[in-house]
Amino acid sequence: MATTQKKKKETIVTEVSEVDDRLGGGIPLGSLCLIEGHSDSGKSVLCQHITNGTLLGGEISVAYYTTENNVRSLITQMESLAMNVMDHFLATA
Protein backbone atom coordinates (compact mmCIF):
# COMPACT_ATOMS: atom_id res chain seq x y z
CA MET A 1 0.00 0.00 0.00
CA ALA A 2 1.50 3.32 -1.07
CA THR A 3 1.60 6.13 1.42
CA THR A 4 1.52 9.72 0.38
CA GLN A 5 3.58 12.25 2.19
CA LYS A 6 2.50 15.84 2.27
CA LYS A 7 5.29 18.27 1.56
CA LYS A 8 5.68 20.60 4.51
CA LYS A 9 4.80 24.14 3.51
CA GLU A 10 7.46 26.55 4.65
CA THR A 11 5.83 29.63 6.07
CA ILE A 12 6.57 32.78 7.97
CA VAL A 13 4.48 33.05 11.11
CA THR A 14 3.81 36.00 13.38
CA GLU A 15 3.87 33.92 16.58
CA VAL A 16 0.35 35.29 17.25
CA SER A 17 -1.93 32.29 16.75
CA GLU A 18 -5.04 34.34 15.90
CA VAL A 19 -3.20 36.23 13.16
CA ASP A 20 -1.50 33.11 11.81
CA ASP A 21 -4.85 31.32 11.65
CA ARG A 22 -6.36 34.18 9.65
CA LEU A 23 -3.37 34.02 7.32
CA GLY A 24 -4.05 30.35 6.70
CA GLY A 25 -1.21 29.17 8.93
CA GLY A 26 1.28 31.82 7.93
CA ILE A 27 2.70 33.52 4.87
CA PRO A 28 4.34 31.14 2.37
CA LEU A 29 8.06 31.78 1.90
CA GLY A 30 8.71 33.64 -1.32
CA SER A 31 5.47 35.60 -1.16
CA LEU A 32 5.28 39.25 -2.07
CA CYS A 33 2.89 40.99 0.31
CA LEU A 34 1.39 44.43 0.43
CA ILE A 35 0.07 45.56 3.79
CA GLU A 36 -2.18 48.58 3.55
CA GLY A 37 -4.68 50.26 5.79
CA HIS A 38 -5.69 53.49 7.45
CA SER A 39 -3.47 55.38 9.86
CA ASP A 40 -3.12 53.64 13.21
CA SER A 41 -4.63 50.40 11.87
CA GLY A 42 -1.69 48.30 13.10
CA LYS A 43 0.34 47.87 9.89
CA SER A 44 3.65 48.55 11.63
CA VAL A 45 2.88 46.20 14.52
CA LEU A 46 1.90 43.45 12.05
CA CYS A 47 5.17 43.95 10.16
CA GLN A 48 7.10 43.79 13.41
CA HIS A 49 5.38 40.54 14.39
CA ILE A 50 6.14 39.07 10.95
CA THR A 51 9.77 40.15 11.30
CA ASN A 52 10.03 38.66 14.79
CA GLY A 53 8.39 35.41 13.69
CA THR A 54 10.80 35.15 10.79
CA LEU A 55 13.80 35.64 13.06
CA LEU A 56 12.46 33.16 15.63
CA GLY A 57 11.88 30.69 12.81
CA GLY A 58 15.61 30.54 12.22
CA GLU A 59 15.96 32.79 9.20
CA ILE A 60 19.40 34.35 9.16
CA SER A 61 18.37 37.83 8.12
CA VAL A 62 15.42 40.09 7.46
CA ALA A 63 15.36 43.30 5.45
CA TYR A 64 13.11 45.82 7.20
CA TYR A 65 12.47 49.11 5.45
CA THR A 66 10.58 51.87 7.24
CA THR A 67 10.24 55.62 7.15
CA GLU A 68 8.67 55.63 10.62
CA ASN A 69 11.61 54.57 12.81
CA ASN A 70 15.35 54.61 13.10
CA VAL A 71 17.07 51.44 14.32
CA ARG A 72 16.98 52.38 18.00
CA SER A 73 13.29 53.37 17.98
CA LEU A 74 12.35 50.22 16.05
CA ILE A 75 14.12 48.02 18.62
CA THR A 76 12.50 49.97 21.48
CA GLN A 77 9.04 49.65 19.95
CA MET A 78 9.46 45.92 19.34
CA GLU A 79 10.75 45.39 22.88
CA SER A 80 7.68 47.21 24.21
CA LEU A 81 5.63 44.49 22.48
CA ALA A 82 7.69 41.73 24.18
CA MET A 83 9.75 40.99 21.06
CA ASN A 84 13.44 40.74 21.96
CA VAL A 85 15.25 41.44 18.70
CA MET A 86 18.37 43.12 20.04
CA ASP A 87 20.49 39.95 19.68
CA HIS A 88 19.53 39.71 16.01
CA PHE A 89 20.59 43.30 15.38
CA LEU A 90 23.87 42.78 17.24
CA ALA A 91 24.58 39.60 15.26
CA THR A 92 24.47 41.55 12.00
CA ALA A 93 26.47 44.57 13.17
Side-chain angles (χ1 to χ4, degrees):
M1 180 186 276
T3 59
T4 58
Q5 292 180 341
K6 289 186 178 182
K7 185 177 180 182
K8 184 179 177 186
K9 186 167 93 171
E10 295 184 29
T11 59
I12 298 169
V13 295
T14 64
E15 300 292 320
V16 179
S17 60
E18 296 166 20
V19 174
D20 293 332
D21 290 344
R22 291 202 177 234
L23 292 172
I27 301 169
L29 288 177
S31 295
L32 176 63
C33 300
L34 171 67
I35 300 172
E36 59 183 349
H38 298 289
S39 272
D40 297 324
S41 62
K43 299 178 300 291
S44 294
V45 173
L46 176 60
C47 290
Q48 291 167 16
H49 276 287
I50 291 170
T51 299
N52 188 56
T54 302
L55 293 170
L56 291 175
E59 293 300 315
I60 295 171
S61 64
V62 174
Y64 193 103
Y65 300 96
T66 179
T67 59
E68 301 287 321
N69 295 307
N70 59 35
V71 173
R72 173 41 75 202
S73 66
L74 177 63
I75 291 170
T76 300
Q77 184 176 18
M78 291 180 77
E79 286 177 345
S80 75
L81 297 168
M83 293 182 263
N84 185 9
V85 295
M86 179 64 83
D87 291 341
H88 298 286
F89 276 86
L90 294 174
T92 61

Coordinates of all heavy atoms in Angstrom, one line a residue:
M1 N 0.8 -1.2 0.0 CA 0.0 0.0 0.0 C 0.9 1.2 0.0 O 1.8 1.4 0.8 CB -0.9 0.0 1.2 CG -1.8 1.2 1.3 SD -2.7 1.3 2.8 CE -4.1 0.2 2.4
A2 N 0.7 2.1 -0.9 CA 1.5 3.3 -1.1 C 1.0 4.4 -0.1 O -0.2 4.5 0.1 CB 1.4 3.8 -2.5
T3 N 2.0 5.0 0.5 CA 1.6 6.1 1.4 C 2.0 7.4 0.8 O 3.0 7.5 0.1 CB 2.3 6.0 2.8 OG1 3.7 6.0 2.6 CG2 1.9 4.8 3.5
T4 N 1.2 8.4 0.9 CA 1.5 9.7 0.4 C 2.0 10.6 1.5 O 1.4 10.6 2.6 CB 0.3 10.4 -0.3 OG1 -0.8 10.5 0.7 CG2 -0.2 9.5 -1.5
Q5 N 3.0 11.3 1.2 CA 3.6 12.3 2.2 C 3.3 13.7 1.7 O 3.6 14.0 0.6 CB 5.1 12.1 2.4 CG 5.5 10.8 3.0 CD 7.0 10.7 3.1 OE1 7.7 11.4 2.5 NE2 7.4 9.8 4.0
K6 N 2.7 14.5 2.6 CA 2.5 15.8 2.3 C 3.8 16.6 2.4 O 4.5 16.4 3.4 CB 1.4 16.5 3.2 CG 0.0 15.9 2.9 CD -1.0 16.7 3.7 CE -2.4 16.2 3.4 NZ -3.4 16.9 4.1
K7 N 4.1 17.4 1.5 CA 5.3 18.3 1.6 C 5.0 19.4 2.5 O 4.0 20.0 2.5 CB 5.6 18.8 0.2 CG 6.9 19.6 0.2 CD 7.2 20.1 -1.2 CE 8.5 20.9 -1.2 NZ 8.8 21.4 -2.6
K8 N 5.9 19.6 3.5 CA 5.7 20.6 4.5 C 5.8 22.0 3.9 O 6.8 22.3 3.2 CB 6.7 20.5 5.6 CG 6.5 21.4 6.7 CD 7.5 21.3 7.8 CE 7.3 22.3 8.9 NZ 8.3 22.3 9.9
K9 N 4.8 22.8 4.1 CA 4.8 24.1 3.5 C 5.6 25.0 4.4 O 5.4 25.1 5.6 CB 3.4 24.7 3.4 CG 3.2 26.0 2.7 CD 1.8 26.3 2.4 CE 1.2 27.1 3.5 NZ -0.2 27.6 3.2
E10 N 6.6 25.7 3.9 CA 7.5 26.6 4.6 C 6.8 27.9 4.7 O 6.5 28.5 3.7 CB 8.9 26.7 4.0 CG 9.6 25.4 4.1 CD 11.0 25.5 3.5 OE1 11.6 26.6 3.6 OE2 11.5 24.5 3.0
T11 N 6.5 28.4 5.9 CA 5.8 29.6 6.1 C 6.5 30.5 7.1 O 7.3 30.1 7.9 CB 4.4 29.4 6.6 OG1 4.4 28.7 7.8 CG2 3.6 28.6 5.6
I12 N 6.2 31.8 7.0 CA 6.6 32.8 8.0 C 5.4 33.0 8.9 O 4.3 33.2 8.4 CB 6.9 34.1 7.3 CG1 8.1 33.9 6.4 CG2 7.2 35.2 8.3 CD1 8.4 35.1 5.5
V13 N 5.6 32.9 10.2 CA 4.5 33.1 11.1 C 4.8 34.3 12.0 O 5.9 34.7 12.1 CB 4.3 31.8 12.0 CG1 3.8 30.6 11.2 CG2 5.5 31.5 12.8
T14 N 3.7 34.8 12.5 CA 3.8 36.0 13.4 C 4.0 35.7 14.8 O 4.3 36.5 15.6 CB 2.5 36.9 13.3 OG1 1.4 36.1 13.8 CG2 2.3 37.3 11.8
E15 N 3.8 34.4 15.2 CA 3.9 33.9 16.6 C 2.6 34.4 17.4 O 2.6 34.3 18.6 CB 5.2 34.4 17.3 CG 6.4 33.9 16.7 CD 6.6 32.3 16.8 OE1 6.3 31.8 17.9 OE2 7.1 31.7 15.8
V16 N 1.6 34.9 16.7 CA 0.4 35.3 17.3 C -0.7 34.4 16.6 O -1.0 34.5 15.4 CB 0.0 36.8 17.0 CG1 -1.4 37.1 17.6 CG2 1.1 37.7 17.5
S17 N -1.1 33.4 17.3 CA -1.9 32.3 16.8 C -3.2 32.8 16.0 O -3.5 32.3 15.0 CB -2.3 31.2 17.8 OG -3.1 31.8 18.8
E18 N -3.8 33.8 16.5 CA -5.0 34.3 15.9 C -4.7 34.9 14.5 O -5.4 34.7 13.6 CB -5.7 35.4 16.8 CG -6.2 34.9 18.1 CD -6.6 36.0 19.1 OE1 -6.8 37.1 18.6 OE2 -6.6 35.7 20.3
V19 N -3.6 35.6 14.4 CA -3.2 36.2 13.2 C -2.8 35.1 12.2 O -3.2 35.1 11.0 CB -2.1 37.3 13.4 CG1 -1.5 37.8 12.0 CG2 -2.6 38.4 14.2
D20 N -2.0 34.2 12.7 CA -1.5 33.1 11.8 C -2.7 32.3 11.3 O -2.7 31.9 10.1 CB -0.5 32.2 12.6 CG 0.8 32.9 12.9 OD1 1.2 33.9 12.1 OD2 1.4 32.6 13.9
D21 N -3.7 32.0 12.1 CA -4.9 31.3 11.7 C -5.6 32.1 10.5 O -6.0 31.5 9.5 CB -5.8 31.1 12.8 CG -5.3 30.0 13.8 OD1 -4.3 29.3 13.5 OD2 -5.8 30.0 14.9
R22 N -5.7 33.4 10.7 CA -6.4 34.2 9.7 C -5.5 34.2 8.4 O -6.1 34.5 7.3 CB -6.7 35.6 10.2 CG -7.7 35.6 11.2 CD -8.4 36.9 11.3 NE -9.4 36.8 12.3 CZ -10.7 37.2 12.0 NH1 -11.0 37.7 10.8 NH2 -11.6 37.1 12.9
L23 N -4.2 34.0 8.5 CA -3.4 34.0 7.3 C -3.3 32.6 6.7 O -2.4 32.4 5.9 CB -2.0 34.5 7.7 CG -1.8 36.0 8.1 CD1 -0.5 36.3 8.6 CD2 -2.2 36.9 6.8
G24 N -4.1 31.7 7.2 CA -4.1 30.3 6.7 C -2.9 29.5 7.2 O -2.4 28.7 6.5
G25 N -2.3 29.9 8.4 CA -1.2 29.2 8.9 C 0.1 29.9 8.8 O 1.1 29.5 9.2
G26 N 0.1 31.0 8.1 CA 1.3 31.8 7.9 C 1.4 32.3 6.5 O 0.5 32.0 5.7
I27 N 2.4 33.0 6.2 CA 2.7 33.5 4.9 C 3.7 32.6 4.2 O 4.8 32.4 4.7 CB 3.3 35.0 4.9 CG1 2.2 35.9 5.6 CG2 3.6 35.5 3.5 CD1 2.8 37.2 6.0
P28 N 3.4 32.0 3.0 CA 4.3 31.1 2.4 C 5.6 31.9 2.0 O 5.6 33.0 1.6 CB 3.6 30.7 1.1 CG 2.2 31.0 1.4 CD 2.1 32.1 2.3
L29 N 6.8 31.2 2.3 CA 8.1 31.8 1.9 C 8.1 32.1 0.4 O 7.5 31.4 -0.4 CB 9.2 30.8 2.2 CG 9.5 30.6 3.7 CD1 10.6 29.6 3.8 CD2 10.0 31.9 4.3
G30 N 8.6 33.2 0.1 CA 8.7 33.6 -1.3 C 7.5 34.5 -1.8 O 7.5 34.9 -2.9
S31 N 6.6 34.8 -0.8 CA 5.5 35.6 -1.2 C 5.9 37.1 -1.2 O 6.7 37.5 -0.5 CB 4.4 35.4 -0.1 OG 3.9 34.1 -0.1
L32 N 5.2 37.8 -2.0 CA 5.3 39.2 -2.1 C 4.0 39.8 -1.5 O 2.9 39.5 -2.0 CB 5.5 39.8 -3.5 CG 5.5 41.3 -3.7 CD1 6.7 41.9 -3.0 CD2 5.6 41.6 -5.2
C33 N 4.1 40.5 -0.4 CA 2.9 41.0 0.3 C 2.8 42.5 0.3 O 3.9 43.2 0.5 CB 2.9 40.5 1.7 SG 2.9 38.7 1.9
L34 N 1.6 43.0 0.3 CA 1.4 44.4 0.4 C 0.5 44.6 1.6 O -0.6 43.9 1.7 CB 0.7 45.0 -0.8 CG 0.2 46.5 -0.7 CD1 1.4 47.4 -0.5 CD2 -0.6 46.9 -1.9
I35 N 0.9 45.3 2.6 CA 0.1 45.6 3.8 C -0.4 47.0 3.7 O 0.5 47.9 3.8 CB 0.9 45.3 5.1 CG1 1.3 43.8 5.1 CG2 0.0 45.6 6.3 CD1 2.3 43.4 6.2
E36 N -1.7 47.2 3.6 CA -2.2 48.6 3.5 C -3.4 48.8 4.5 O -4.0 47.8 4.9 CB -2.6 48.9 2.1 CG -3.7 48.1 1.5 CD -4.0 48.4 0.1 OE1 -3.5 49.5 -0.4 OE2 -4.7 47.7 -0.6
G37 N -3.6 50.0 4.9 CA -4.7 50.3 5.8 C -4.6 51.7 6.2 O -3.7 52.4 5.9
H38 N -5.6 52.1 7.0 CA -5.7 53.5 7.4 C -4.6 53.7 8.5 O -4.0 52.8 9.0 CB -7.1 53.7 8.1 CG -8.2 53.6 7.1 ND1 -8.4 54.5 6.1 CD2 -9.1 52.7 7.0 CE1 -9.5 54.1 5.4 NE2 -9.9 53.0 5.9
S39 N -4.4 55.0 8.8 CA -3.5 55.4 9.9 C -3.9 54.7 11.2 O -5.1 54.6 11.4 CB -3.5 56.9 10.1 OG -2.6 57.5 9.3
D40 N -2.9 54.3 11.9 CA -3.1 53.6 13.2 C -4.0 52.4 13.1 O -4.6 52.0 14.1 CB -3.8 54.6 14.2 CG -2.9 55.8 14.5 OD1 -1.7 55.6 14.6 OD2 -3.4 56.9 14.7
S41 N -3.9 51.7 12.0 CA -4.6 50.4 11.9 C -3.8 49.2 12.3 O -4.3 48.1 12.3 CB -5.2 50.2 10.5 OG -4.1 50.2 9.5
G42 N -2.5 49.4 12.6 CA -1.7 48.3 13.1 C -0.8 47.7 12.1 O -0.2 46.6 12.3
K43 N -0.5 48.4 10.9 CA 0.3 47.9 9.9 C 1.8 47.7 10.4 O 2.4 46.6 10.2 CB 0.3 48.8 8.7 CG -1.0 49.0 8.0 CD -0.9 50.0 6.9 CE -0.4 51.4 7.3 NZ -1.3 52.2 8.1
S44 N 2.3 48.6 11.1 CA 3.7 48.5 11.6 C 3.8 47.4 12.6 O 4.8 46.7 12.6 CB 4.1 49.9 12.3 OG 4.1 50.9 11.3
V45 N 2.8 47.3 13.5 CA 2.9 46.2 14.5 C 2.8 44.8 13.8 O 3.5 43.9 14.2 CB 1.7 46.4 15.6 CG1 1.7 45.2 16.5 CG2 2.0 47.6 16.4
L46 N 2.0 44.7 12.8 CA 1.9 43.5 12.1 C 3.2 43.2 11.4 O 3.7 42.0 11.5 CB 0.8 43.5 11.0 CG 0.7 42.3 10.1 CD1 0.4 41.0 10.9 CD2 -0.4 42.5 9.0
C47 N 3.8 44.2 10.8 CA 5.2 44.0 10.2 C 6.2 43.6 11.2 O 7.1 42.7 10.9 CB 5.6 45.2 9.4 SG 4.7 45.6 8.0
Q48 N 6.1 44.1 12.4 CA 7.1 43.8 13.4 C 6.9 42.4 13.9 O 7.9 41.6 14.1 CB 7.0 44.8 14.6 CG 7.5 46.2 14.1 CD 7.1 47.3 15.1 OE1 6.8 47.0 16.3 NE2 7.3 48.5 14.7
H49 N 5.6 41.9 14.0 CA 5.4 40.5 14.4 C 5.9 39.6 13.3 O 6.4 38.5 13.6 CB 3.9 40.3 14.7 CG 3.5 40.7 16.1 ND1 3.8 40.0 17.1 CD2 2.8 41.8 16.5 CE1 3.3 40.5 18.2 NE2 2.7 41.6 17.9
I50 N 5.7 39.9 12.1 CA 6.1 39.1 11.0 C 7.7 39.0 11.0 O 8.3 37.9 10.8 CB 5.6 39.6 9.6 CG1 4.1 39.4 9.5 CG2 6.4 38.9 8.4 CD1 3.5 40.1 8.3
T51 N 8.3 40.1 11.2 CA 9.8 40.1 11.3 C 10.3 39.3 12.5 O 11.2 38.5 12.3 CB 10.3 41.6 11.5 OG1 9.9 42.4 10.3 CG2 11.8 41.7 11.7
N52 N 9.6 39.4 13.6 CA 10.0 38.7 14.8 C 9.8 37.2 14.6 O 10.7 36.3 14.9 CB 9.2 39.1 16.0 CG 9.8 38.5 17.3 OD1 10.9 38.6 17.6 ND2 8.9 37.9 18.0
G53 N 8.7 36.8 14.0 CA 8.4 35.4 13.7 C 9.4 34.8 12.7 O 9.8 33.7 12.9
T54 N 9.8 35.6 11.8 CA 10.8 35.2 10.8 C 12.1 34.9 11.5 O 12.8 33.9 11.3 CB 11.0 36.2 9.7 OG1 9.7 36.4 9.0 CG2 12.0 35.7 8.6
L55 N 12.5 35.8 12.3 CA 13.8 35.6 13.1 C 13.7 34.5 14.0 O 14.7 33.7 14.1 CB 14.2 36.9 13.8 CG 14.5 38.1 12.9 CD1 14.6 39.4 13.7 CD2 15.8 37.9 12.1
L56 N 12.6 34.3 14.7 CA 12.5 33.2 15.6 C 12.4 31.8 14.9 O 12.8 30.8 15.4 CB 11.2 33.3 16.5 CG 11.2 34.4 17.5 CD1 9.9 34.6 18.2 CD2 12.4 34.2 18.5
G57 N 12.0 31.9 13.6 CA 11.9 30.7 12.8 C 13.2 30.2 12.3 O 13.3 29.2 11.6
G58 N 14.3 31.0 12.6 CA 15.6 30.5 12.2 C 16.2 31.2 11.0 O 17.2 30.8 10.5
E59 N 15.4 32.1 10.4 CA 16.0 32.8 9.2 C 17.2 33.6 9.6 O 17.2 34.2 10.7 CB 14.9 33.7 8.6 CG 13.8 32.9 8.0 CD 14.2 32.0 6.9 OE1 15.0 32.3 6.0 OE2 13.7 30.8 6.9
I60 N 18.2 33.7 8.8 CA 19.4 34.4 9.2 C 19.3 35.9 9.1 O 19.8 36.6 10.0 CB 20.5 33.9 8.2 CG1 20.8 32.4 8.4 CG2 21.8 34.7 8.4 CD1 21.7 31.8 7.4
S61 N 18.5 36.4 8.2 CA 18.4 37.8 8.1 C 17.0 38.2 7.6 O 16.3 37.5 6.9 CB 19.5 38.4 7.2 OG 19.3 38.0 5.9
V62 N 16.7 39.5 7.9 CA 15.4 40.1 7.5 C 15.8 41.5 7.0 O 16.5 42.2 7.7 CB 14.4 40.1 8.6 CG1 13.2 40.9 8.2 CG2 14.0 38.8 9.1
A63 N 15.2 41.9 5.9 CA 15.4 43.3 5.4 C 14.1 44.0 5.9 O 13.0 43.6 5.6 CB 15.5 43.4 3.9
Y64 N 14.2 45.1 6.7 CA 13.1 45.8 7.2 C 13.3 47.3 6.8 O 14.2 47.9 7.2 CB 13.1 45.7 8.7 CG 11.8 46.1 9.4 CD1 10.9 45.2 9.8 CD2 11.5 47.5 9.5 CE1 9.7 45.6 10.4 CE2 10.4 47.9 10.1 CZ 9.4 47.0 10.5 OH 8.3 47.4 11.1
Y65 N 12.4 47.7 5.9 CA 12.5 49.1 5.5 C 11.3 49.9 6.0 O 10.2 49.5 6.0 CB 12.4 49.2 3.9 CG 13.5 48.4 3.3 CD1 13.3 47.1 2.8 CD2 14.7 49.0 3.1 CE1 14.3 46.4 2.2 CE2 15.8 48.3 2.5 CZ 15.6 47.0 2.0 OH 16.6 46.3 1.5
T66 N 11.6 51.0 6.7 CA 10.6 51.9 7.2 C 11.0 53.3 7.2 O 12.2 53.6 7.2 CB 10.3 51.5 8.7 OG1 9.3 52.3 9.2 CG2 11.5 51.5 9.6
T67 N 10.0 54.2 7.1 CA 10.2 55.6 7.2 C 9.8 56.1 8.5 O 9.9 57.3 8.8 CB 9.5 56.4 6.0 OG1 8.1 56.1 6.2 CG2 10.0 56.0 4.7
E68 N 9.2 55.3 9.3 CA 8.7 55.6 10.6 C 9.7 55.6 11.8 O 9.5 56.4 12.7 CB 7.5 54.7 11.0 CG 6.4 54.6 10.0 CD 5.5 55.9 10.0 OE1 5.3 56.4 11.1 OE2 5.2 56.3 8.9
N69 N 10.7 54.8 11.7 CA 11.6 54.6 12.8 C 13.1 54.6 12.4 O 13.4 54.3 11.2 CB 11.4 53.2 13.5 CG 10.0 53.1 14.1 OD1 9.6 53.9 14.9 ND2 9.3 52.0 13.7
N70 N 13.9 54.9 13.3 CA 15.4 54.6 13.1 C 15.6 53.3 13.8 O 14.7 52.7 14.4 CB 16.3 55.7 13.6 CG 16.1 56.0 15.1 OD1 15.8 55.1 15.9 ND2 16.2 57.3 15.5
V71 N 16.8 52.8 13.8 CA 17.1 51.4 14.3 C 16.7 51.4 15.8 O 16.1 50.5 16.3 CB 18.5 51.0 14.1 CG1 18.9 49.7 14.8 CG2 18.8 50.9 12.6
R72 N 17.2 52.4 16.6 CA 17.0 52.4 18.0 C 15.5 52.4 18.3 O 15.0 51.7 19.2 CB 17.7 53.6 18.6 CG 17.5 53.9 20.1 CD 17.4 52.8 21.0 NE 18.5 52.1 21.5 CZ 18.4 50.8 22.1 NH1 17.2 50.3 22.1 NH2 19.4 50.2 22.6
S73 N 14.7 53.3 17.7 CA 13.3 53.4 18.0 C 12.5 52.1 17.5 O 11.6 51.7 18.2 CB 12.7 54.6 17.4 OG 12.7 54.6 16.0
L74 N 13.0 51.5 16.5 CA 12.4 50.2 16.1 C 12.6 49.1 17.1 O 11.6 48.4 17.5 CB 12.9 49.8 14.7 CG 12.4 48.4 14.2 CD1 10.9 48.5 13.9 CD2 13.1 48.0 12.9
I75 N 13.8 49.0 17.6 CA 14.1 48.0 18.6 C 13.3 48.3 19.9 O 12.7 47.4 20.5 CB 15.6 48.0 18.9 CG1 16.4 47.4 17.7 CG2 15.9 47.2 20.2 CD1 17.9 47.6 17.8
T76 N 13.2 49.6 20.3 CA 12.5 50.0 21.5 C 11.0 49.6 21.3 O 10.4 49.1 22.3 CB 12.7 51.5 21.8 OG1 14.1 51.7 22.0 CG2 11.9 51.9 23.0
Q77 N 10.5 49.9 20.2 CA 9.0 49.7 19.9 C 8.8 48.2 20.0 O 7.8 47.7 20.6 CB 8.6 50.2 18.6 CG 7.1 50.0 18.4 CD 6.6 50.7 17.1 OE1 7.4 51.0 16.2 NE2 5.3 50.9 17.1
M78 N 9.6 47.4 19.3 CA 9.5 45.9 19.3 C 9.6 45.3 20.7 O 8.9 44.4 21.1 CB 10.4 45.3 18.3 CG 10.0 45.6 16.9 SD 11.1 44.8 15.7 CE 10.5 43.2 15.7
E79 N 10.6 45.9 21.5 CA 10.8 45.4 22.9 C 9.5 45.7 23.7 O 9.2 45.0 24.6 CB 12.0 46.0 23.5 CG 13.3 45.3 22.9 CD 14.6 45.9 23.5 OE1 14.5 47.0 24.0 OE2 15.6 45.3 23.3
S80 N 8.9 46.9 23.5 CA 7.7 47.2 24.2 C 6.5 46.2 23.9 O 5.6 46.2 24.7 CB 7.2 48.7 23.9 OG 6.6 48.7 22.6
L81 N 6.6 45.5 22.8 CA 5.6 44.5 22.5 C 6.1 43.1 22.8 O 5.6 42.1 22.3 CB 5.3 44.6 21.0 CG 4.7 45.9 20.5 CD1 4.7 46.0 19.0 CD2 3.3 46.0 21.1
A82 N 7.1 43.0 23.7 CA 7.7 41.7 24.2 C 8.4 40.9 23.1 O 8.4 39.7 23.1 CB 6.6 40.9 24.9
M83 N 9.0 41.6 22.1 CA 9.8 41.0 21.1 C 11.2 41.4 21.3 O 11.6 42.6 21.0 CB 9.3 41.4 19.7 CG 7.9 40.9 19.3 SD 7.4 41.4 17.7 CE 6.4 42.9 18.1
N84 N 12.0 40.5 21.7 CA 13.4 40.7 22.0 C 14.2 40.5 20.7 O 14.6 39.4 20.4 CB 14.0 39.9 23.1 CG 15.4 40.2 23.5 OD1 15.9 41.2 23.0 ND2 16.0 39.4 24.3
V85 N 14.5 41.6 20.0 CA 15.2 41.4 18.7 C 16.7 42.0 18.8 O 17.4 41.9 17.8 CB 14.5 42.1 17.6 CG1 13.2 41.4 17.3 CG2 14.3 43.6 17.9
M86 N 17.0 42.5 19.9 CA 18.4 43.1 20.0 C 19.5 42.2 19.6 O 20.4 42.6 18.9 CB 18.6 43.6 21.5 CG 20.0 44.2 21.7 SD 20.2 45.7 20.7 CE 19.4 46.9 21.8
D87 N 19.4 40.9 20.0 CA 20.5 40.0 19.7 C 20.6 39.8 18.2 O 21.7 39.6 17.6 CB 20.2 38.6 20.3 CG 20.4 38.6 21.8 OD1 21.1 39.6 22.3 OD2 19.9 37.7 22.5
H88 N 19.5 39.8 17.5 CA 19.5 39.7 16.0 C 20.2 40.9 15.4 O 20.9 40.8 14.4 CB 18.1 39.5 15.4 CG 17.5 38.3 15.9 ND1 17.8 37.0 15.5 CD2 16.5 38.1 16.8 CE1 17.1 36.1 16.1 NE2 16.2 36.7 16.9
F89 N 19.9 42.1 15.9 CA 20.6 43.3 15.4 C 22.1 43.3 15.7 O 22.9 43.7 14.8 CB 19.9 44.6 16.0 CG 18.7 45.0 15.3 CD1 17.5 44.5 15.6 CD2 18.8 45.9 14.2 CE1 16.3 44.8 14.9 CE2 17.6 46.3 13.6 CZ 16.4 45.8 13.9
L90 N 22.5 42.8 16.9 CA 23.9 42.8 17.2 C 24.6 41.7 16.4 O 25.8 41.9 16.1 CB 24.0 42.5 18.7 CG 23.5 43.6 19.7 CD1 23.6 43.1 21.1 CD2 24.3 44.9 19.5
A91 N 23.9 40.7 16.0 CA 24.6 39.6 15.3 C 24.9 40.1 13.9 O 25.8 39.5 13.2 CB 23.7 38.4 15.2
T92 N 24.2 41.1 13.4 CA 24.5 41.5 12.0 C 25.3 42.8 12.0 O 25.7 43.3 10.9 CB 23.2 41.8 11.3 OG1 22.5 42.9 12.0 CG2 22.3 40.6 11.2
A93 N 25.7 43.3 13.1 CA 26.5 44.6 13.2 C 27.9 44.3 12.8 O 28.5 43.3 12.9 CB 26.3 45.2 14.5

